Amino acid sequence: MSRLVVVSNRVAVPTDGPAKAGGLAVALREALQENGGIWFGWSGKTSPKPQDEPTMTEVEPVTYATLDLSRRDHQEYYNGFANRTLWPLFHYRLDLADFNRQDYAGYLRVNTHFAERLRPLIREDDDLWVHDYHLIPFASELRRLGVENRIGFFLHTPFPTMEVLLALPSHDRLARSLCAYDVVGFQTVNDLRAFHEYIVHEAGGEILGDNMVRAFGRTLKAEVYPIGIEVETMQRTSAHAMQEPAVRRLVKHMAERSLVIGVDRLDYSKGIPERFRSFERFLEKFPTHQGKVSLMQIAPVSRGEVPEYKNIREELEALAGHINGVYGELDWMPIRYLNKGYPRDTLTGFYRTCRVGLVTPLRDGMNLVAKEYVASQNPHEPGVLVLSRFAGAARELDAALQVNPYDQDNVAEALNRAITMPLEERRERWESMMAKVHDSSLDKWRERFLAVLRSVPPGGFGHG
Ligand code: GDG
């Protein structure tokens, strides 16, 4: 079988230590190990004068090829266009999106430079799989350099509706470069629908049968591939994690009380301030829970150099302080806000210990935390998932208590229902969700995408 070349913004090089590798990194590494290949992308480091050639790390049968970024490229490509333009725009936050030509030029420059550096490493029959919004123009840059291999793309974030995308000054070029791929994968049918809308109404393209799209002089496949988690591993580790000191400490400390858990990168798309306010509303509306139910929010810092991320951090500190000040007692605090990360195994034990998983993003491509919470539950006594309807995961996890995260009363009522839900209903809902989590496991997601990519005829689906 042909080799696989994975391209992503960050590369999980095993020699950098296993602790950093998340579920996605493990799944992609496994795909590479099956047939051998290359994982190419940014090293995660900046340097004043980055070397021109990628640093190669061989861990048979995989080659990890990484490039450093200059301070300027890091600022314009990563902190700038990727995380201050595309990220907010794709999450429907036009109010936070910064449209800046210099950053856009930096984004294109890094994509071009990366494509030029990868070009000599590509063999004729390699299949390429590019990931996420940082690298949308990557395939068109490779095509310009004469690469005719199969190239697939997976977008981990939502794809916004046409009206939102049109606010991006370079929307045309971006959409055109998406069409340079042979297969484009989205998280949900909503994202695919939004892409179709743009193709038909803005690009003058056509939707053909069998999930094919024709636009900008190319034909490609655009489909839904909901991403998942390593279900069995999660189930196993969550049971073992109950013996971990951190988890035992938590269980002991809880005594007769119940915990609601939130776990998110500290990001405005995750709706954490709205969640804190909804929790306050819950205590106000259902005072019998005061002194008995706490929200434990784990939120490791993310993209700390971007101003909007600094602002949200300050907002959350003030909110948690306010709510704890008003409602807290000597021996009970309503919100435990932990601004740091925990090892993955410990996290699964936390999920299993907490009676409610509160996952309320304002917008999310999928949201793996929702699926991880479900997979980590004790089957005999599962907790309840309260899930935003704006998370991609809501399409599959319809047995969760679905909420509108903007509606504090709605979230407060769902929390009350979750805390008081009888065991039988908890089990029924959990079994239904668990079946869905199994259906879209990380392995299945990867295998399905690669099978479709490998079925693309040599030279692509055709031009025109
Ligand atoms: C993007 C899309 C899409 C969090 N805190 C800790 C920790 N985490 C882990 C979680 C989970 C992962 O980070 C977060 O994944 P999400 O899916 O929830 O969100 P994003 O980071 O925004 O991911 C998203 C995803 O890509 C995949 O396509 O679902 O929509 O935005 O796995 O467990 N892990 C550890 N300690 C922590 O404190 N170890």
Side-chain angles (χ1 to χ4, degrees):
M1 199 177 290
S2 49
R3 277 194 331 172
L4 181 64
V5 177
V6 171
V7 185
S8 62
N9 174 56
R10 288 293 293 273
V11 177
V13 182
T15 46
D16 288 353
K20 282 187 196 154
L24 177 62
V26 172
L28 293 176
R29 200 178 279 165
E30 265 177 33
L32 284 162
Q33 273 159 356
E34 265 170 32
N35 308 301
I38 302 175
W39 192 342
F40 178 89
W42 178 36
S43 62
K45 296 181 199 127
T46 56
S47 61
K49 212 174 169 315
Q51 83 289 22
D52 213 35
E53 294 307 317
T55 302
M56 312 290 263
T57 311
E58 299 283 345
V59 184
E60 280 293 329
V62 186
T63 303
Y64 297 84
T66 57
L67 288 164
D68 294 350
L69 288 177
S70 69
R71 282 299 304 167
R72 181 171 168 214
D73 284 349
H74 180 247
Q75 198 50 33
E76 294 175 359
Y77 150 80
Y78 181 73
N79 284 337
F81 196 75
N83 286 328
R84 291 196 76 199
T85 308
L86 291 182
W87 177 270
L89 186 85
F90 283 13
H91 289 85
Y92 292 77
R93 292 299 300 269
L94 273 170
D95 58 321
L96 298 181
D98 182 54
F99 301 107
N100 169 328
R101 292 200 180 177
Q102 198 173 327
D103 287 350
Y104 179 51
Y107 178 75
L108 294 179
R109 186 174 64 243
V110 170
N111 269 272
T112 306
H113 173 63
F114 274 30
E116 285 169 355
R117 299 279 66 86
L118 178 62
R119 175 73 189 93
L121 307 179
I122 299 174
R123 293 186 197 154
E124 201 180 317
D125 63 346
D126 285 347
D127 296 319
L128 281 75
W129 191 6
V130 180
H131 287 262
D132 231 359
Y133 60 101
H134 315 83
L135 297 166
I136 293 174
F138 199 77
S140 63
E141 290 306 305
L142 285 177
R143 301 281 184 226
R144 195 176 50 76
L145 297 168
V147 174
E148 289 180 4
N149 300 48
R150 301 176 181 120
I151 317 181
F153 177 79
F154 186 77
L155 183 65
H156 291 258
T157 68
F159 190 82
T161 59
M162 187 179 82
E163 288 301 322
V164 171
L165 188 56
L166 289 179
L168 182 71
S170 50
H171 63 83
D172 178 82
R173 180 147 179 206
L174 207 74
R176 186 182 291 270
S177 37
L178 257 184
C179 294
Y181 289 93
D182 297 301
V183 180
V184 174
F186 296 103
Q187 299 272 26
T188 71
V189 69
N190 284 10
D191 306 308
L192 178 63
R193 211 184 288 135
F195 178 63
H196 281 171
E197 189 193 11
Y198 185 96
I199 291 297
V200 173
H201 298 289
E202 184 61 27
E206 285 177 85
I207 313 303
L208 313 170
D210 198 22
N211 290 328
M212 304 298 291
V213 165
R214 188 184 294 143
F216 300 108
R218 279 188 54 89
T219 305
L220 60 143
K221 194 173 262 258
E223 283 189 319
V224 174
Y225 302 86
I227 197 168
I229 58 166
E230 301 166 286
V231 193
E232 281 85 17
T233 312
M234 215 85 270
Q235 279 179 296
R236 246 192 342 265
T237 40
S238 68
H240 287 148
M242 297 309 287
Q243 299 311 320
E244 275 208 20
V247 181
R248 288 169 69 161
R249 242 173 85 196
L250 184 69
V251 172
K252 191 170 155 219
H253 195 78
M254 270 168 56
E256 295 299 299
R257 294 174 177 147
S258 299
L259 270 181
V260 174
I261 188 167
V263 176
D264 310 79
R265 275 188 309 103
L266 189 45
D267 191 300
Y268 49 78
S269 67
K270 305 292 182 184
I272 313 173
E274 291 77 2
R275 187 177 309 163
F276 281 12
R277 288 195 194 95
S278 296
F279 193 76
E280 182 180 21
R281 181 67 55 85
F282 160 75
L283 296 174
E284 200 177 276
K285 247 181 131 127
F286 304 98
T288 51
H289 297 307
Q290 288 181 22
K292 296 190 189 122
V293 182
S294 293
L295 168 63
M296 177 164 86
Q297 176 65 54
I298 297 172
V301 175
S302 158
R303 303 174 195 168
E305 292 176 15
V306 178
E308 289 74 22
Y309 289 76
K310 288 184 190 144
N311 297 344
I312 191 177
R313 200 170 162 184
E314 283 166 18
E315 184 183 358
L316 282 172
E317 279 160 13
L319 256 176
H322 161 76
I323 298 170
N324 284 342
V326 172
Y327 291 93
E329 302 285 350
L330 282 176
D331 59 349
W332 170 76
M333 278 297 151
I335 297 190
R336 295 186 193 186
Y337 174 43
L338 302 160
N339 213 198
K340 59 180 172 191
Y342 282 86
R344 203 167 171 70
D345 291 5
T346 311
L347 210 56
T348 64
F350 287 168
Y351 287 140
R352 199 176 174 103
T353 305
C354 291
R355 180 64 184 273
V356 182
L358 187 56
V359 182
T360 53
L362 304 178
R363 199 59 69 168
D364 219 327
M366 177 54 64
N367 194 299
L368 294 180
V369 169
K371 294 185 173 181
E372 291 168 2
Y373 178 78
V374 171
S376 302
Q377 295 307 299
N378 176 348
H380 305 293
E381 217 190 314
V384 182
L385 178 66
V386 175
L387 179 61
S388 161
R389 58 172 300 168
F390 303 120
R395 307 267 343 168
E396 294 160 85
L397 304 181
D398 50 2
L401 293 183
Q402 294 208 357
V403 293
N404 173 353
Y406 296 97
D407 181 352
Q408 290 166 21
D409 288 296
N410 178 222
V411 177
E413 282 155 14
L415 274 173
N416 180 51
R417 195 168 158 209
I419 294 283
T420 55
M421 189 179 285
L423 180 59
E424 198 178 328
E425 183 180 349
R426 281 195 269 147
R427 276 202 198 128
E428 271 170 29
R429 286 177 181 274
W430 178 78
E431 275 162 21
S432 158
M433 289 192 283
M434 201 56 196
K436 304 274 178 72
V437 171
H438 270 294
D439 282 351
S440 65
S441 69
L442 195 54
D443 287 348
K444 287 184 184 157
W445 167 79
R446 180 191 83 205
E447 282 159 16
R448 245 194 84 216
F449 189 96
L450 288 177
V452 171
L453 182 63
R454 289 186 166 135
S455 72
V456 175
F461 290 111
H463 303 270

